[in-house]
Amino acid sequence: MNLDYLVREPENITPNTPILFMLHGYGSNEQDLFSFRETLPNDWIIVSFRAPRDTQFEGYSWYDINFNDPENFIDVPQAKESLHAVLESMLKIINHYGLTESKAHLCGFSQGGILCYALALQHPELFNYVACLSSYPEEKILDGIVKDKKKLEGLRFFISHGTDDAVIPLEWGRKAADLLYDLSCYFTFREYMSGHGVNQKNYMDLMDFFSK
C-alpha cells in the first residue's frame, strides 16, 4: 500500500539529515500537521502522510472507530494494516534520500499519535524524537513492543493532552506516562487547558522539544 504524502525538503540533504514523519488524526488529512513546518528546523526533511481510508466530509483515517462500543473502539486489523503501510513507506522514503546516518522523528495527533506509540516501541532503533499529541497507547496494537531498556534509550517522547478532551479522555492519555515509566523511556508528559487539540502553549512546547 503506497501512502500519499506532502514533503518539504531542505536545501542540502546528506546521510545525516534528520527526517520527521507526521501522522494526522481521524477525519483530517496530510495538510493538518504539515502546517507546523514553518517553525520546525529548516534543515529537516518533513513528511506528512495521508491516511489510507476515507471518512465523511472528505477526511481520512488510519482505521475505523466505533464510538458506541468501547470494547471494540478500534478496528485492530485495519490499524495493524496502517502500521505496516506507514513503516513500509517510511523505509522507502529514508532509502530514497539515502539517510543512512540519521534517525527519524515522529509526530502524531490523536489516531496518528496512537500509531506513533506502536511504531516507536516496536522499532526503537529507527526513531529518536517522538511526539504524541492528544492520543494514548492502544494495548491492542502494542504487541511485540521492545522491552530491552538498552534498545529504548535512544527514544525521547513528548506527550501532551488537553484537560478537557472530550474525544480521548485525559485518563487514557495518562496511561502513556505509566507505560513509558515502566519501560524506563525518557519522556515529558504535559497537560494543557484545552480540548481535543493543540493550543498555543502546547505548540510552543512541542517546537521547543523538536529544536533541542
Side-chain angles (χ1 to χ4, degrees):
M1 187 194 301
N2 285 324
L3 298 177
D4 291 330
Y5 61 88
L6 294 171
V7 62
R8 184 203 77 182
E9 297 177 353
E11 283 186 27
N12 299 306
I13 297 175
T14 73
N16 288 303
T17 297
I19 186 164
L20 171 64
F21 293 105
M22 309 180 107
L23 306 180
H24 64 76
Y26 182 90
S28 188
N29 61 46
E30 68 276 24
Q31 299 279 356
D32 188 16
L33 296 178
F34 198 59
S35 63
F36 291 4
R37 70 190 182 281
E38 302 299 333
T39 45
L40 285 162
N42 290 327
D43 57 343
W44 288 16
I45 301 169
I46 312 289
V47 174
S48 185
F49 287 115
R50 176 196 291 177
R53 314 187 74 82
D54 292 332
T55 63
Q56 289 179 305
F57 314 117
E58 299 182 356
Y60 300 90
S61 74
W62 300 102
Y63 52 84
D64 293 339
I65 295 173
N66 187 342
F67 289 102
N68 299 318
D69 185 357
E71 288 302 307
N72 296 296
F73 182 63
I74 86 162
D75 186 310
V76 176
Q78 288 178 4
K80 290 189 173 181
E81 186 181 21
S82 283
L83 274 175
H84 181 74
V86 170
L87 183 64
E88 196 174 31
S89 296
M90 287 177 176
L91 294 174
K92 278 183 188 170
I93 292 168
I94 288 168
N95 189 48
H96 168 74
Y97 286 112
L99 306 178
T100 52
E101 305 296 323
S102 82
K103 287 268 189 174
H105 307 310
L106 292 171
C107 180
F109 177 79
S110 195
Q111 202 179 63
I114 292 167
L115 295 191
C116 285
Y117 280 118
L119 287 163
L121 293 173
Q122 288 168 346
H123 308 280
E125 72 285 356
L126 289 176
F127 303 109
N128 185 200
Y129 293 147
V130 183
C132 300
L133 318 171
S134 304
S135 56
Y136 72 99
E138 172 53 69
E139 291 175 10
K140 292 177 180 175
I141 60 169
L142 286 179
D143 44 339
I145 65 169
V146 172
K147 295 186 177 175
D148 181 337
K149 291 171 185 174
K150 196 81 182 151
K151 291 179 179 174
L152 294 169
E153 66 183 12
L155 295 173
R156 299 288 183 276
F157 285 89
F158 175 86
I159 316 298
S160 68
H161 216 97
T163 53
D164 301 313
D165 193 326
V167 178
I168 294 178
L170 178 57
E171 290 70 38
W172 292 20
R174 286 175 175 163
K175 289 179 185 174
D178 296 332
L179 172 67
L180 298 176
Y181 181 81
D182 288 344
L183 291 171
S184 299
C185 288
Y186 293 92
F187 71 94
T188 300
F189 183 90
R190 295 199 173 153
E191 298 174 10
Y192 298 88
M193 297 286 285
S194 68
H196 192 65
V198 177
N199 67 12
Q200 190 174 8
K201 179 73 173 85
N202 190 170
Y203 184 79
M204 289 167 64
D205 289 343
L206 175 66
M207 291 303 123
D208 186 51
F209 168 72
F210 278 134
S211 68
K212 286 172 182 168

